[in-house]
Amino acid sequence: MTHTMPQTLDDLRWHQVSIRDKAADGTFVYGVKTTGVYCRPSCPSRLAKRANVSFHESPVEAEAAGFRPCRRCHPAAVQEPATSLMQAMAAYITQHAEESLPLARLADQAGMSPTHFQRAFKAALGVSPREYQAARRLSRFKQALRGGEGVLEAGIDAGYGSTSRVYEAIDGGLGMTPSAYRAGGAGEAITYAVRDTTLGPLMMAATPRGVCFVQFGPSAEALLAQLAAEFPKAALSPAGEAAEGPLDAWMAALAAHLEQAAPRPDLPLDLRGTAFQISVWRFLMSVKPGDVVSYSELAEGAGKPRAIRAAASACAANRIAVLIPCHRALRADGSLGGYRRGLERKRALLDAERRVSAAG
């Protein structure tokens, strides 16, 4: 009897659940959608169908997703000491996010050598202590902005020290300038255009910094409603009413790419997402037409090999279809997976790219 080696983190976890691997207890839990219960990997209960199972890093995450603990295996009581220590250290970093936290200080707090602590923290949390602190500091900064603090005051409270440090540190983390974020995006000027393509109505929208939205939809009205939902406080105007701007030419170049096998236009993009999402999108833009990548390869290319699910979520969050080619990301088994613009469009985009690649 031959066994297929797990290809993704979820594949590995399903294998551990299917063999009721006690060694995996405390490293993750799994939820069963049909029962609403979550269990530890070694739970002796009847094995659920794979399609009904979701994996979670901790009992807290599983309960946040709506699952309740199994009364048979008591998964909330299972926690590896090392994982528990790293979670305590994560809480320590959160409490002191505005301070200077050199690795030596954190390692001393944990009672470990710096190298061992760095390795253990990343294994438990998926990011380095420095990356975790940066994320907590940014979260504190954003919370202060939402609470009405000024950029300088919020930046100092979060530990940035000066406005220049703020702008250096948040590249990609806000998706807009701090002042625009504080105002909820109010006052942002977005111009849009719609045209029919072989794949249906297509809308492109842009700020002065570049394209911020490319989506297919059932109608121009539905696309405008989607744009307004994505940017609820922005000032939206059709391209024809704008005093200036190259949006019509950009739209024509994209349509030529879709309909006439012209090269994908290299347009300026106004990327709005977390730092990790933007790294995923930039990696996708480096994938050659006609090629595809798995979500695990995408996570690795973005610098976080274990963040497979987060990489898939970044694809789903992509507002800029085709220009950021998330249609090139497939499941590990080669199946299409999901696509927010419809699987038929995903298949058509891939088929067209493969034809052009083969002809070249």
Side-chain angles (χ1 to χ4, degrees):
M1 180 177 179
T2 59
H3 296 276
T4 301
M5 291 296 293
Q7 297 184 14
T8 68
L9 180 58
D10 280 1
D11 290 337
L12 173 61
R13 288 175 169 177
W14 174 245
H15 174 70
Q16 291 171 317
V17 168
S18 65
I19 65 172
R20 295 177 170 83
D21 185 2
K22 290 186 178 181
D25 287 352
T27 62
F28 70 92
V29 295
Y30 71 94
V32 181
K33 300 172 186 176
T34 51
T35 64
V37 168
Y38 73 91
C39 304
R40 55 176 168 168
S42 67
C43 182
S45 300
R46 182 179 177 181
L47 189 64
K49 292 182 178 179
R50 174 66 183 87
N52 295 328
V53 170
S54 60
F55 300 104
H56 306 275
E57 299 298 326
S58 66
V60 172
E61 182 179 304
E63 291 176 22
F67 293 98
R68 62 185 185 279
C70 172
R71 294 182 178 179
R72 189 169 182 181
C73 69
H74 304 288
V78 179
Q79 188 72 52
E80 284 190 347
T83 302
S84 180
L85 174 59
M86 291 306 105
Q87 289 180 342
M89 287 305 302
Y92 178 84
I93 292 173
T94 298
Q95 293 167 5
H96 301 272
E98 77 285 358
E99 302 175 20
S100 174
L101 294 177
L103 185 60
R105 172 182 168 180
L106 295 173
D108 183 66
Q109 181 73 20
M112 304 165 69
S113 72
T115 301
H116 186 194
F117 172 72
Q118 173 95 346
R119 188 181 302 115
F121 190 93
K122 190 162 187 177
L125 278 297
V127 294
S128 69
R130 182 177 181 179
E131 291 169 330
Y132 188 85
Q133 182 188 7
R136 295 302 93 208
R137 183 175 283 179
L138 177 60
S139 177
R140 183 172 296 185
F141 175 68
K142 292 164 70 174
Q143 185 176 6
L145 289 179
R146 288 195 297 267
E149 288 189 26
V151 175
L152 177 59
E153 182 182 7
I156 291 175
D157 288 345
Y160 290 118
S162 67
T163 52
S164 62
R165 289 282 305 279
V166 169
Y167 282 85
E168 291 172 1
I170 64 170
D171 180 29
L174 291 180
M176 58 185 77
T177 64
S179 57
Y181 186 88
R182 181 179 178 227
E188 291 258 353
I190 297 180
T191 305
Y192 66 88
V194 182
R195 68 181 293 161
D196 290 326
T197 72
T198 55
L199 297 179
L202 175 70
M203 174 178 282
M204 179 184 288
T207 69
R209 294 183 294 277
V211 176
C212 64
F213 182 92
V214 175
Q215 295 292 338
F216 296 98
S219 65
E221 293 76 15
L223 285 166
L224 182 56
Q226 186 177 348
L227 178 66
E230 294 278 3
F231 303 98
K233 295 187 178 181
L236 308 178
S237 60
E241 296 179 4
E244 58 180 342
L247 189 61
D248 287 329
W250 291 353
M251 175 68 93
L254 180 57
H257 168 66
L258 293 171
E259 299 167 4
Q260 302 166 23
R264 178 169 58 91
D266 184 15
L267 306 180
L269 303 181
D270 183 357
L271 300 180
R272 299 176 179 234
T274 67
F276 178 70
Q277 286 175 331
I278 291 175
S279 67
V280 168
W281 299 337
R282 286 175 174 161
F283 181 77
L284 281 167
M285 293 168 68
S286 73
V287 178
K288 295 180 180 179
D291 290 347
V292 295
V293 294
S294 67
Y295 292 116
S296 58
E297 290 171 328
L298 185 54
E300 185 173 355
K304 295 185 178 178
R306 298 181 62 186
I308 299 169
R309 186 175 300 169
S313 297
C315 290
N318 173 28
R319 299 185 182 94
I320 306 177
V322 185
L323 297 180
I324 299 176
C326 57
H327 58 275
R328 295 175 187 161
L330 307 180
R331 290 176 176 164
D333 62 3
S335 60
L336 290 179
Y339 192 60
R340 66 184 289 187
R341 297 137 197 114
L343 290 182
E344 288 304 314
R345 287 195 179 102
K346 184 172 187 176
R347 185 177 291 108
L349 288 167
L350 288 172
D351 288 346
E353 289 184 347
R354 286 165 178 159
R355 286 194 298 270
V356 172
S357 179

